[in-house]
Amino acid sequence: MTHIITSLCVRDRGCIDVCPVECMIAGQPINEWPWIYIDPDTCIDCGACVPECPYVAIFPEDEVPSAYTAKGGEYISRADLTGHFEGTNHHGGPIVLDTAKQLEPGEVVDFTPDIQPNYDFFKTGPGYSAKDTDNGM
Ligand code: SF4
Ligand code: SF4
């Protein structure tokens, strides 16, 4: 199994540094790969990243919610969305996303479609080579 980062990820980057096997990679280009991605072949399911995420975006693969009920106000980010999100990441740097959407209270979201992109990023996407163009955002 592996852990999965869902579209609740807004690139806070709090998780990346704690991974003991360095398998969390910031997606590039951001509009195409807006999250941080976990290499499923390398993740050891230690769970260390989960409590580091202030947006509660990381789940064991078999616990990814299929019917998440939004508190309201939280953002999701997916490549096919066009809303704007700005914030400050774990290191004090800027976060700017143009693939975001703010959820309404009670809105129900299925996060299971977010599982496959975590695999695709390393199979058909940039994978570890995204580190070469990582600008810290
Ligand atoms: S800490 Fe959470 S929001 Fe931040 S990059 Fe990691 S998964 Fe994404
Ligand atoms: S569960 Fe552990 S090994 Fe897997 S991505 Fe998180 S910190 Fe890394």
Side-chain angles (χ1 to χ4, degrees):
M1 219 178 64
T2 181
H3 276 54
I4 294 289
I5 292 181
T6 64
S7 44
L8 285 165
C9 174
V10 291
R11 296 180 79 101
D12 163 80
R13 287 177 172 258
C15 56
I16 298 176
D17 294 343
V18 304
C19 179
V21 292
E22 299 184 11
C23 72
M24 310 181 87
I25 306 296
Q28 294 284 351
I30 291 178
N31 284 355
E32 220 174 305
W33 301 101
W35 317 324
I36 278 43
Y37 296 84
I38 293 175
D39 176 3
D41 291 334
T42 304
C43 173
I44 56 170
D45 275 327
C46 69
C49 54
V50 173
E52 299 300 321
C53 180
Y55 298 92
V56 198
I58 312 172
F59 299 88
E61 183 171 0
D62 60 0
E63 293 177 25
V64 173
S66 59
Y68 169 87
T69 303
K71 290 182 275 302
E74 62 269 65
Y75 281 84
I76 60 168
S77 173
R78 284 177 171 160
D80 60 349
L81 296 173
T82 55
H84 188 72
F85 171 85
E86 282 190 30
T88 303
N89 71 23
H90 184 75
H91 304 293
I95 309 169
V96 181
L97 293 170
D98 288 309
T99 52
K101 174 190 165 190
Q102 194 166 25
L103 299 180
E104 302 289 336
E107 191 172 346
V108 177
V109 183
D110 179 5
F111 288 130
T112 57
D114 298 345
I115 294 172
Q116 189 60 42
N118 278 264
Y119 286 88
D120 293 344
F121 181 77
F122 293 93
K123 281 201 181 108
T124 56
Y128 285 91
S129 69
K131 286 174 100 167
D132 300 340
T133 53
D134 190 355
N135 61 3
M137 197 184 283

